[in-house]
Structures are given as C-alpha cells and as structure tokens.
Amino acid sequence: MHFEPNEEQKMLRDTIRQFAESEVAPLVEEHERAGKFPRELIDRMWKELGLGGMLASEPYGIDLDPISYTLVIEELARVWPSLAIIVSVHNSVSVQLINQHGSEEQKAKYLPELTEEWVGAFSLSEPGAGSDAGALRTTAKRDGDFYILNGEKNWVTNGLAANVYVVFAKTDPDAGNRGITAFIVDRDTPGMKVEKPERKLGIK
C-alpha cells in the first residue's frame, strides 16, 4: 500500500502545520499550566478549518481519507499532543461513530452541531473496569421509548467540555460483550452529572 502524500494532502498538511505553529504554539504553556480546555481555539478550528467534521460524510463534514486525517493529527501533535487527542477523540470515537452507526434522525440532529460548534466525548472507562468493555457495570434499561442509564464513568476524554457523550452501557448483561450498546447522551440530560477533573501529568 502506498502512503506517500499526494499534492492535495501535502497542501493540507502544510496548512495545518502553519496554523499549529502560528496559532496553537503560543497557547500551549498557558493552557497546560492552568489545565484549561482550549474552547476558543477549538471554535476556530471547527469553523475556519473544518476540523470538527473530518470523519463525517457530506453534507455534514469533509470526510477526509485516512492519510489526510492522520497528517492533520500528526501536525497538531507536533505542537500540542493534548490538543491532538481532543481533536482525534472528537472525530474518531464521537463524530465517526454517529456518522457510521447512527440513525438518519440522529445524524441530522447531532452531526451539524458536532462538526461546527459542539465537542463530543467518549465514555467507556469505569472505576474498577478501566477500558475493559466486558467488565462494564453501567446498565441501560428500556423504559417505553427511552432507556434509563445507571452507572459511573471516569477518564472521559473531552468530558468537561463536551456537549454530547457516546456512552457505553450493558443492555443485556447475560450476553457478555455482545450485550453492550453505545448511547448518545446530551450533556443536559436529567440525572447526568459531570464531576471535577482529576489532576494528571503528560497528555491530559
């Protein structure tokens, strides 16, 4: 398989590199020291560069090929690894999951917001289970047309700033790994509570 970037991909790489060096680099130390989420920077990246919808199909996003997407994440990581994680998780395990597996109604509701303004989060890990999906304790029980989720998550990437979460829960505990379902949960859902952040070193 050939991985050498073509001219269009090189232009994209150079654009992101220039943006990262001129607009991102001056913000890194301040945000890292304070543990601040770069909300204003994310807004610019979504609106000016289309980076909030890299893995969303048209008409919602720009549907980048794998090499182009990788080049974008690499260029961001060169300057600020934490920012690269924010962008990657938003796109790959939030936007992309909804784009590939959501209903048409869900796509129409969430993808325009996620690709232009909102931040998406990925919520799998739990206390005592880590990222072992088979050991999840969070449950989801049907109640009419809805599901009621009960459980606790931690290490939720983008959790503090997210507008919407992809949350994994057991719908059929007897089915093991096949009894797990991903749910789209809005931040303002009744009963949803976001706790204080944990202090961490390195990539946050």
Side-chain angles (χ1 to χ4, degrees):
M1 185 175 291
H2 186 61
F3 291 108
E4 180 67 25
N6 59 35
E7 290 305 312
E8 185 176 347
Q9 291 164 340
K10 290 178 181 178
M11 289 178 60
L12 173 63
R13 178 196 61 195
D14 293 344
T15 297
I16 301 303
R17 177 173 296 181
Q18 181 179 7
F19 181 87
E21 292 177 348
S22 63
E23 305 298 328
V24 176
L27 304 176
V28 175
E29 183 173 356
E30 174 193 351
H31 282 70
E32 283 288 331
R33 285 184 180 277
K36 292 170 55 179
F37 186 87
R39 180 75 257 187
E40 293 182 1
L41 181 61
I42 291 295
D43 287 343
R44 290 190 58 195
M45 293 168 66
W46 278 203
K47 292 181 172 69
E48 296 177 19
L49 301 174
L51 301 190
M54 288 190 284
L55 301 181
S57 302
E58 295 182 355
Y60 305 113
I62 57 178
D63 198 18
L64 286 185
D65 63 88
I67 292 178
S68 296
Y69 177 68
T70 301
L71 290 172
V72 171
I73 300 302
E74 282 184 344
E75 290 303 322
L76 295 176
R78 284 178 64 248
V79 174
W80 192 3
S82 294
L83 179 64
I85 294 296
I86 291 170
V87 175
S88 175
V89 166
H90 167 85
N91 279 278
S92 62
V93 287
S94 181
V95 169
Q96 187 179 40
L97 283 181
I98 296 173
N99 184 71
Q100 291 184 345
H101 303 290
S103 66
E104 292 304 317
E105 181 181 0
Q106 289 169 331
K107 293 177 188 179
K109 177 180 179 180
Y110 290 104
L111 290 181
E113 301 285 2
L114 282 166
T115 57
E116 296 181 10
E117 184 175 359
W118 285 3
V119 172
F122 181 73
S123 188
L124 171 66
S125 299
E126 296 184 1
S131 297
D132 178 6
L136 294 183
R137 295 184 178 180
T138 297
T139 60
K141 296 183 179 180
R142 183 180 285 277
D143 182 18
D145 293 333
F146 301 91
Y147 279 87
I148 297 177
L149 275 66
N150 281 292
E152 181 181 358
K153 300 289 185 176
N154 59 357
W155 306 303
V156 178
T157 307
N158 294 347
L160 289 178
N163 304 91
V164 65
Y165 303 76
V166 175
V167 180
F168 290 80
K170 286 189 174 181
T171 48
D172 184 358
D174 296 330
N177 291 344
R178 294 184 177 274
I180 298 171
T181 302
F183 293 87
I184 305 171
V185 180
D186 293 298
R187 187 183 184 93
D188 60 359
T189 299
M192 170 81 170
K193 185 178 181 181
V194 179
E195 298 284 357
K196 64 180 181 180
E198 296 186 30
R199 296 178 63 85
K200 298 181 291 295
L201 295 174
I203 297 177
K204 298 178 175 60

